Amino acid sequence: MTALRAHRRGGPEVLAVESAPVPVPAAGEVLVAVHAAAITFDELTWEETWTRDGVDRTPTIVSHEVSGVIAETGPGVTDVQPGDDVYGLVAFDRDGAAAEFVAMPATDLAAKPSTVSHAVAAALPLAGLTALQALVDHAGVRPGEAVLVHGGAGGVGALTVQLAAQLGAEVTATVRSDTAELVRGFGARHVINTRRAEFDGPGTKYDVVIDTVGGQTLDRSFGVLRRGGRLVTLSAPPPAGIDTEFGVTATFFIVTANRDQLTELATLVDSGSLHIEIADTFPLARGREAFESGSRPGRRAGKTVLVVRD
């Protein structure tokens, strides 16, 4: 099969489109004929991209969000069958979906949203699951609470804004570009362009902060939480002891595949309640260029997707 692989650590320059063996599904796994795979630009910096349990696993196939069709089932799989349209999240320490086929546990997949293309569906699993798990599983957002979402125009942030609004929260989002109207359309009542204004001005307090940015944004976010508030960050663990200092709860987590939540997200998409923003699409043959596009100025909001099959 054709795949986008890397034989050594690095950035987009180490990626090459080349021939690779078709994976064989093990017990509990399926082989998916990939139609589209969404990329995350930071995945080339993740340790799991290059190692498993501390052991080098190159050459590695990138991209962990997939939409496609079941081509084959492994032993013990009875809940899906060849021909089913599916989408899901490939574990980060496995070969990914930037290839004509990917093998993965059947439980990490769910029925694809029926109202959108494979390219759009592929942009949902990582961002959608991250947003849902951050808001529901870790922050426990309740109706009427004030929620601040950092990076509201990003792949994760855009879905976090939409889901938080659907949970009944009063949503404020930060952006670093002229995307205020887009993010308001997602359900944010207030949008702060941090190139022009500070998000932590006097008197500003929130019940929940969802941080998709990290760095100084994370550090400054503790000061805008009410006592007893909750902060969920996706970038890195917060500084030790800072949650106690501010009287809040701080959580860092890494998203995991969840079939029930994938099904919930697909239902929201099919009902028109959840919009998925696509920044750009590239054929698999231009996979390196797709990763390089992440550093281009003026890049549109949303996910970048590799189209493997029409």
Side-chain angles (χ1 to χ4, degrees), residues 128-301:
L129 287 172
T130 300
L132 192 60
Q133 290 171 15
L135 290 165
V136 176
D137 297 347
H138 297 287
V141 171
R142 298 182 291 271
E145 290 192 310
V147 174
L148 174 64
V149 179
H150 287 306
V156 174
L159 293 178
T160 304
V161 169
Q162 293 178 68
L163 291 170
Q166 291 177 31
L167 289 169
E170 181 175 333
V171 183
T172 298
T174 65
V175 298
R176 287 182 53 81
S177 58
D178 296 325
T179 53
E181 289 308 311
L182 175 69
V183 176
R184 286 192 182 94
F186 293 154
R189 293 193 185 180
H190 314 283
V191 180
I192 302 168
N193 187 333
T194 56
R195 291 180 176 175
R196 302 171 185 163
E198 304 292 341
F199 72 84
D200 53 352
T204 305
K205 292 294 179 182
Y206 301 93
D207 300 293
V208 173
V209 173
I210 308 295
D211 167 46
T212 73
V213 176
Q216 291 187 353
T217 297
L218 168 61
D219 296 341
R220 290 164 54 195
S221 292
F222 287 91
V224 303
L225 278 168
R226 297 186 175 97
R227 301 286 293 186
R230 292 95 69 201
L231 181 146
V232 179
T233 181
L234 314 177
S235 56
I242 194 170
D243 49 351
T244 302
E245 176 185 347
F246 284 91
V248 301
T249 300
T251 303
F252 165 74
F253 80 101
I254 297 174
V255 64
T256 56
N258 182 302
R259 175 179 283 178
D260 289 342
Q261 291 178 331
L262 285 167
T263 300
E264 180 179 352
L265 291 166
T267 299
L268 289 171
V269 171
D270 286 338
S271 70
S273 302
L274 197 61
H275 173 74
I276 306 163
E277 194 73 15
I278 301 293
D280 208 349
T281 60
F282 292 81
L284 180 61
R286 293 169 57 201
R288 179 190 294 183
E289 183 182 347
F291 272 86
E292 290 171 341
S293 72
S295 60
R296 293 176 186 166
R299 192 178 66 86
R300 291 177 54 197

Side-chain angles (χ1 to χ4, degrees), residues 6 8-15 41 44-45 50 288 291-292:
R8 58 182 175 86
R9 288 180 186 245
E13 74 281 354
V14 304
L15 297 173
F41 298 116
L44 297 178
T45 69
W50 310 106
R288 179 190 294 183
F291 272 86
E292 290 171 341

